[in-house]
Amino acid sequence: EIRSICMSEIGIWMKKFHKNFLDDSYLKYIGWTLSDKVGDVRLKCLQSLQPLYSSGELKNKLELFTSKFKDRIVSMTLDKEIEVAVEAVKLVISILKYHNDILR
């Protein structure tokens, strides 16, 4: 449960205080836990990323993260946990809508 809480909170910090927290030294923790064995942790990671990818102003700060973890995010659309798969589809749609060029 602590990993889920941490992923939720770091997502909030990244959105609110993106100048301080939205960089690769913090994004890596979300990236690593996209492969967590607990479905709720994976879900919280995706939910933390959603508002970041829904903002055009944060696009440049997400390029390296996206290049490293886009394959994992796309594969999560087939996650064994339905809620995780649905959230992954929503995130991929946001990436395509707001950051189409960084998926290439």
Side-chain angles (χ1 to χ4, degrees), residues 19-36:
K19 290 181 181 175
N20 297 356
F21 292 102
L22 187 57
D23 65 40
D24 295 324
S25 64
Y26 295 100
L27 280 166
K28 69 182 176 186
Y29 298 113
I30 291 183
W32 293 341
T33 52
L34 288 171
S35 298
D36 197 278

Side-chain angles (χ1 to χ4, degrees), residues 14-50:
M14 286 178 178
K15 181 64 177 167
K16 279 187 168 180
F17 310 109
H18 55 88
K19 290 181 181 175
N20 297 356
F21 292 102
L22 187 57
D23 65 40
D24 295 324
S25 64
Y26 295 100
L27 280 166
K28 69 182 176 186
Y29 298 113
I30 291 183
W32 293 341
T33 52
L34 288 171
S35 298
D36 197 278
K37 62 183 179 183
V38 177
D40 190 55
V41 175
R42 297 191 305 274
L43 179 64
K44 297 299 185 212
C45 291
L46 293 170
Q47 290 172 339
S48 293
L49 291 169
Q50 184 67 40

Side-chain angles (χ1 to χ4, degrees), residues 38-89:
V38 177
D40 190 55
V41 175
R42 297 191 305 274
L43 179 64
K44 297 299 185 212
C45 291
L46 293 170
Q47 290 172 339
S48 293
L49 291 169
Q50 184 67 40
L52 303 177
Y53 279 106
S54 297
S55 171
E57 71 178 280
L58 304 177
K59 180 178 184 176
N60 293 338
K61 294 185 171 243
L62 293 167
E63 285 183 11
L64 182 59
F65 176 84
T66 306
S67 69
K68 285 183 178 180
F69 293 103
K70 66 183 175 186
D71 291 339
R72 176 62 188 143
I73 293 169
V74 170
S75 73
M76 291 176 79
T77 61
L78 301 173
D79 196 278
K80 63 183 180 181
E81 306 278 341
I82 299 297
E83 251 188 306
V84 174
V86 168
E87 197 65 33
V89 169

Side-chain angles (χ1 to χ4, degrees), residues 87-98:
E87 197 65 33
V89 169
K90 289 178 185 178
L91 183 58
V92 169
I93 290 169
S94 282
I95 295 171
L96 287 170
K97 186 175 180 180
Y98 296 103

